[in-house]
């Protein structure tokens, strides 16, 4: 994947960032280029067919719509329902992370992106067990998933990026912000917010996003942590990020989607004596709807020699080809009813072909 070109520093020097296994936080006041700065990096990732993206945009509807078809998971909208879907997306990333630990080996990089994450942290909704989705309590579901990914995701190539605005201790908990390898801040209002964004050590060393000019320095980020090459004496670097407008971003995304589709076609399993549909049906364990990540984990547990190389994209391709694609509600799930119908249709087609009689769809 290499280093992603992100912008130029105050001397005019090009600055590129390494995204490999680095959790990232971008924050700052609203309408100063936060989404554009993060989206530029996601477009760089999208160009690599060997990397996966899961994205939640809790502002919606613009900004990330061009990733439809590229991101295996895409949540767009500001309501509590969207926060619940974003939380379940992060929890599924934790399941995927645990699956990777179980099977071992190397894995495709998975980048989990949440824009306007403050909406999730401030969400008042609770699940049927009365567990809050937002907040900072020990049982808060969104923060709990964030912490698990921060703590263990790097080891198995599961990386979390969050973008927030106008940081406070309520909408950007300390347990979240301290877990990032890259911390970047647009203009903020106070030194206290600068410390929340970048950490006290970076601010003590001279990082000062509070001195950026709102509006005039739009797109300028003070970046601390790893990822950017820095001189030994530097604790942070100010980068004016490359701006990619919506129309250009859409064109880049279209080219990335075509490249991914070609790569997927080349990697889709061909005819095999193994009955993958029957194996998937068995992995449902009699349940009517099961998350694709859970199905994949069960397949690997049932037959690791066959299914360890599979990804969520492989599973989706096999089901789609059979006429039983996963259905998207709050999360992507495999339907037992759809899968049974696909198996019946396939078997009927094969029986008719062997008998030499007419084949009816």
């Amino acid at each position: 994947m290499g280093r992603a070109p992100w912008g130029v520093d105050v001397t005019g020097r090009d600055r590129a960032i390494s995204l490999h296994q680095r959790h990232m936080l971008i924050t700052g006041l609203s309408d100063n280029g936060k989404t554009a700065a993060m989206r530029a990096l996601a477009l760089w990732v999208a160009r690599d067919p060997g990397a996966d993206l899961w994205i939640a945009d809790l502002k919606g509807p613009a900004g990330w719509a061009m990733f439809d078809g590229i991101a295996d998971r895409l949540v767009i909208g500001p309501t509590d329902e969207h926060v619940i879907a974003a939380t379940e997306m992060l929890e599924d990333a934790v399941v995927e992370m645990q699956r990777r630990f179980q099977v071992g080996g190397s894995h495709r990089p998975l980048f989990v992106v949440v824009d306007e994450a403050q909406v999730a942290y401030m969400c008042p909704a609770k699940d049927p067990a009365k567990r809050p989705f937002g907040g900072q309590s020990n049982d808060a579901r969104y923060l709990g998933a964030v912490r698990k990914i921060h703590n263990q995701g790097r080891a198995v190539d599961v990386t979390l990026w969050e973008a927030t605005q106008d940081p406070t201790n309520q909408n950007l908990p300390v347990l979240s912000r301290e877990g990032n390898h890259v911390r970047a801040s647009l203009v903020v209002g106070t030194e206290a917010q600068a410390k929340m964004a970048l950490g006290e050590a970076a601010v003590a060393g001279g990082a000062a996003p509070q001195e950026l000019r709102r509006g005039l320095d739009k797109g300028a980020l003070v970046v601390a942590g790893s990822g950017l090459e820095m001189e030994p004496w530097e604790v942070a670097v100010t980068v004016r990020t490359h701006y990619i407008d919506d129309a250009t971003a859409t064109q880049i995304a279209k080219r990335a989607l075509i490249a991914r589709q070609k790569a997927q076609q080349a990697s889709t399993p061909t005819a095999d004596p193994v009955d993958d549909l029957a194996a998937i049906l068995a992995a449902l364990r009699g349940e009517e709807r099961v998350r694709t990540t859970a199905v994949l984990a069960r397949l690997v547990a049932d037959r690791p020699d066959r299914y360890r190389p599979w990804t969520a994209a492989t599973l989706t391709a096999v089901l789609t080809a059979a006429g039983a694609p996963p259905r998207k509600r709050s999360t992507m799930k495999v339907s037992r009813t759809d899968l049974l119908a696909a198996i019946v249709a396939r078997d009927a087609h094969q029986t008719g072909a062997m008998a030499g009689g007419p084949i009816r769809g």
Side-chain angles (χ1 to χ4, degrees):
M1 184 178 297
R3 289 180 173 269
W6 208 11
V8 297
D9 64 19
V10 293
T11 68
R13 173 187 170 189
D14 290 330
R15 289 285 187 163
I17 184 170
S18 173
L19 304 175
H20 181 58
Q21 297 180 343
R22 286 179 170 87
H23 303 309
M24 178 167 56
L25 170 68
I26 299 178
T27 189
L29 300 182
S30 63
D31 195 30
N32 274 273
K34 167 177 49 65
T35 295
M38 182 168 281
R39 188 177 69 183
L41 299 181
L43 287 168
W44 177 261
V45 171
R47 296 169 62 252
D48 183 355
D52 296 323
L53 280 161
W54 294 3
I55 297 172
D57 173 13
L58 298 179
K59 177 174 60 178
W64 296 89
M66 69 285 297
F67 284 85
D68 189 16
I70 294 174
D72 293 320
R73 304 281 290 273
L74 184 61
V75 178
I76 297 180
T79 69
D80 287 353
E81 289 186 355
H82 294 102
V83 170
I84 292 170
T87 301
E88 291 177 342
M89 181 183 79
L90 263 65
E91 291 173 339
D92 282 350
V94 173
V95 172
E96 170 63 12
M97 183 178 73
Q98 293 168 342
R99 181 190 74 84
R100 293 181 177 198
F101 277 116
Q102 178 184 355
V103 302
S106 60
H107 305 277
R108 292 165 59 93
L110 170 59
F111 293 88
V112 184
V113 181
V114 182
D115 195 5
E116 306 294 345
Q118 77 280 352
V119 177
Y121 288 117
M122 298 298 289
C123 178
K126 296 183 177 182
D127 66 16
K130 304 301 182 183
R131 290 182 61 197
F133 286 92
Q136 304 182 50
S137 61
N138 290 335
D139 60 347
R141 288 181 57 177
Y142 181 85
L143 178 58
V146 167
R147 293 185 65 191
K148 289 176 182 177
I149 297 172
H150 279 172
N151 289 340
Q152 296 184 305
R154 186 177 187 181
V156 286
D157 266 323
V158 176
T159 303
L160 177 62
W161 299 351
E162 289 184 292
T164 71
Q165 62 172 278
D166 200 12
T168 67
N169 285 320
Q170 287 68 45
N171 66 25
L172 185 58
V174 63
L175 290 175
S176 169
R177 60 188 188 240
E178 295 295 336
N180 293 281
H181 305 102
V182 180
R183 297 171 70 169
S185 179
L186 300 149
V187 58
V188 290
T190 67
E191 182 177 307
Q193 286 186 314
K195 291 178 179 178
M196 292 179 199
L198 301 179
E200 293 194 9
V203 174
Q210 74 275 15
E211 296 181 6
L212 295 172
R213 300 164 298 176
R214 185 168 187 172
L216 295 177
D217 289 325
K218 192 170 185 177
L221 282 172
V222 180
V223 185
S226 63
L228 284 178
E229 293 181 347
M230 297 186 189
E231 300 297 338
W233 59 85
E234 292 179 314
V235 297
V237 174
T238 300
V239 177
R240 186 171 295 279
T241 55
H242 296 307
Y243 176 66
I244 304 173
D245 61 36
D246 289 349
T248 304
T250 299
Q251 291 302 314
I252 295 172
K254 285 180 178 179
R255 293 194 294 271
L257 178 58
I258 291 171
R260 285 171 167 265
Q261 289 171 336
K262 290 180 178 178
Q264 182 60 52
Q265 290 170 0
S267 64
T268 298
T270 56
D272 191 292
V274 175
D275 188 341
D276 290 324
L277 296 186
I280 296 169
L281 181 63
L284 296 183
R285 310 290 197 258
E287 300 172 51
E288 178 53 36
R289 295 185 184 277
V290 181
R291 293 182 185 179
T292 54
T293 49
V295 172
L296 195 58
R298 292 174 185 178
L299 285 170
V300 173
D302 291 345
R303 186 169 171 181
D305 60 318
R306 169 70 177 176
Y307 297 110
R308 182 176 287 115
W310 279 33
T311 66
T314 312
L315 175 62
T316 298
V318 169
L319 290 169
T320 301
R327 294 178 178 269
K328 184 177 181 180
R329 292 190 175 179
S330 59
T331 60
M332 297 296 289
K333 294 184 177 181
V334 179
S335 164
R336 184 172 183 272
T337 298
D338 290 352
L339 184 55
L340 282 169
I343 292 173
V344 169
R346 180 202 62 184
D347 292 349
H349 186 281
Q350 291 175 346
T351 301
M354 288 187 292
I359 300 172
R360 304 184 184 277

